[in-house]
Amino acid sequence: MPVSRIRVWSRWLRLSHWTMALAVFGLLASGWLIGHAPTLRSEAGEFHSIFAALLIPALLVRIYLLVLGQGSDHISDCEPNRHRLQQAGQLLLFYFSLGRLPLPKWYAHNPLWGPIYLALFFFLALAALSGLALQREIAFWGGISLQHLHQLSYLLIGWFALLHIPAVFSHDAAGEGSDISGMVSGFRTFHVERPEQKAAGSTQSVSLETLRRSLRK
């Protein structure tokens, strides 16, 4: 079966993705130490501030790409439609069957996780803003406790990270799109099905653009 290797992820998207990933894990670890290891609270707080300083510019770059980026960088690639909702249902069946049912094909953002990424960016921004306010000893916004808001964001981001990693590995193991290496190199691989023969000696060709549109409906 022919294989096509197509650039899906831009350099800036990949840079912001891995920078945010590093910052998030650093923030989760240092945040846990702040709350559960009193003897390390001071040092953990310093590392927490360093990782926050790493997260904020990376998140701003990703938000810029969502609004003004092109192709897979843009928010439209995360938005659900009828076709993607059907694929999202197939993905849920894949998860619940522990990988025994087939994995659907997609072009760039995962049809189930795409909208979740948008929610993640919102809570990352909420965590950053509430954290900056808490550093300035601002405890409330409109009667809302920023400490509780920061902790809620922490829990939701932590659960996302906990679920995201095994999900991506399962996609890479069961699928054909090379999810992990794709976020490193920018390229994903697609298996192009052989065209059906209409008659002896005649074939129907399928262009890469047709493949791209079929996966991004």
Side-chain angles (χ1 to χ4, degrees):
M1 185 176 293
V3 175
S4 295
R5 190 167 182 263
I6 303 175
R7 181 181 289 277
V8 172
W9 308 116
S10 72
R11 181 178 301 175
W12 281 107
L13 184 144
R14 286 179 282 131
L15 179 61
S16 65
H17 173 89
W18 290 114
T19 304
M20 284 193 296
L22 174 62
V24 163
F25 282 108
L27 287 165
L28 290 174
S30 58
W32 187 89
L33 289 173
I34 291 171
H36 296 84
T39 58
L40 299 175
R41 183 170 298 169
S42 178
E43 292 83 355
E46 292 179 4
F47 279 105
H48 202 71
S49 297
I50 292 171
F51 284 115
L54 190 64
L55 171 68
I56 291 172
L59 180 60
L60 289 174
V61 169
R62 189 64 189 96
I63 292 173
Y64 172 86
L65 294 174
L66 282 173
V67 177
L68 298 175
Q70 302 294 323
S72 302
D73 294 354
H74 194 262
I75 191 173
S76 59
D77 198 67
C78 296
E79 294 172 346
N81 56 28
R82 186 172 183 178
H83 177 67
R84 291 176 183 168
L85 287 174
Q86 291 175 344
Q87 289 183 311
Q90 294 172 12
L91 268 166
L92 287 173
L93 292 175
F94 169 80
Y95 294 146
F96 290 140
S97 69
L98 300 179
R100 288 188 289 270
L101 291 178
L103 190 68
K105 298 179 181 180
W106 60 85
Y107 178 72
H109 284 99
N110 183 299
L112 175 64
W113 288 82
I116 298 175
Y117 295 147
L118 299 180
L120 171 68
F121 300 147
F122 171 79
F123 283 106
L124 284 172
L126 196 61
L129 291 173
S130 58
L132 289 172
L134 288 169
Q135 278 189 332
R136 289 161 175 75
E137 298 183 354
I138 302 173
F140 293 91
W141 280 344
I144 299 174
S145 169
L146 292 184
Q147 186 67 40
H148 291 162
L149 200 61
H150 199 70
Q151 290 175 347
L152 174 63
S153 300
Y154 171 90
L155 289 173
L156 292 174
I157 294 167
W159 274 107
F160 171 88
L162 187 65
L163 295 173
H164 179 66
I165 294 175
V168 170
F169 274 91
S170 69
H171 301 162
D172 209 72
E176 303 169 348
S178 56
D179 278 22
I180 297 174
S181 61
M183 192 51 71
V184 175
S185 67
F187 288 88
R188 296 189 75 218
T189 55
F190 299 93
H191 287 156
V192 183
E193 296 180 1
R194 295 184 181 277
E196 297 180 358
Q197 292 186 349
K198 291 183 178 180
S202 65
T203 60
Q204 178 184 2
S205 62
V206 179
S207 68
L208 290 180
E209 183 60 30
T210 301
L211 167 67
R212 186 179 293 109
R213 288 199 303 267
S214 68
L215 293 173
R216 299 181 69 175
K217 288 180 182 178

